[in-house]
Amino acid sequence: MAIRTAVIGAGTMGKVHLEHLTKMDEVEVVGLVDPYEQTLKATAEKYQVSATYGEIDTMLSDQHPDYVVVASPVRYHTAQAVAAFNAGAHV
């Protein structure tokens, strides 16, 4: 059974994580979150992530990931990590 994983942040660090996550057989990337649509679409296309979101809460309620990688700018980490924890995901 694959670990349902979501990545928050489609910039440089998100891409670093996606590069590795997409090569792991035990991981299924179920969602990608970024407020910048152009970056979000380009990154999702490159790493073949079909579910994209402009904000975290919608992704959490739609996808119910087991695990969330927070790869956004540091100032957003606390709120995003707490939201993911509250949704039942590991961070």
Side-chain angles (χ1 to χ4, degrees):
M1 179 180 207
I3 300 167
R4 294 175 51 78
T5 304
V7 176
I8 301 171
T12 301
M13 287 310 300
K15 291 173 187 162
V16 168
H17 287 284
L18 285 164
E19 186 70 35
H20 296 285
L21 290 168
T22 56
K23 293 177 183 175
M24 298 175 162
D25 293 334
E26 64 273 12
V27 172
E28 176 188 7
V29 179
V30 297
L32 180 60
V33 180
D34 199 284
Y36 299 102
E37 190 172 339
Q38 183 176 1
T39 302
L40 178 62
K41 285 184 177 185
T43 303
E45 183 177 314
K46 180 176 182 178
Y47 294 101
Q48 300 175 353
V49 180
S50 59
T52 59
Y53 299 89
E55 61 97 38
I56 184 174
D57 293 329
T58 305
M59 181 277 295
L60 291 170
S61 65
D62 283 359
Q63 296 298 329
H64 305 286
D66 301 314
Y67 182 72
V68 172
V69 175
V70 179
S72 58
V74 174
R75 67 178 171 246
Y76 302 116
H77 284 191
T78 301
Q80 292 170 340
V82 169
F85 280 130
N86 287 340
H90 295 274
V91 177

